Amino acid sequence: MDPARQVIAELAANAVTHGRVPGRDFRLLLYVVADTLRIEVTDTRDDRLPALSDTGRGLLLVDALTNRWGVTPGLPPRKTVWAELDLAPEPKNPHSGGAGGLPEGPHR
């Protein structure tokens, strides 16, 4: 599995497991700015901040696979856990960025 998919899976699983309140969902937002893919997962448990620990391996994996990650407080009761992956430019065009480093889906 590529790093972006693994990070999305880990952050979404954390939101469901640790950030969920009955009747409320979480939001996943992905976007590319310049040569960076930013992944944001917003949930409704601002009282439960993520931290690296010996008991869970999800955030250790996120830390290892990303260039940067952190938590941003939102309007109560929200928080956003974000992660950024630097994307490589396309080999044929060293001036490209953005989607050039994203994995391609199946060809049809």
Side-chain angles (χ1 to χ4, degrees), residues 22-38:
R24 299 181 190 164
D25 289 325
F26 69 92
R27 180 184 70 197
L28 171 65
L29 180 64
L30 308 171
Y31 56 95
V32 175
V33 175
D35 293 335
T36 302
L37 169 64
R38 184 167 173 107

Side-chain angles (χ1 to χ4, degrees), residues 2 12 14 20 49-50 58 62 68 73 76 83 86 104 107:
D2 69 79
N14 283 350
R20 188 169 179 279
L49 298 178
V62 169
R68 295 162 294 284
D86 294 337
E104 291 186 28
H107 295 284

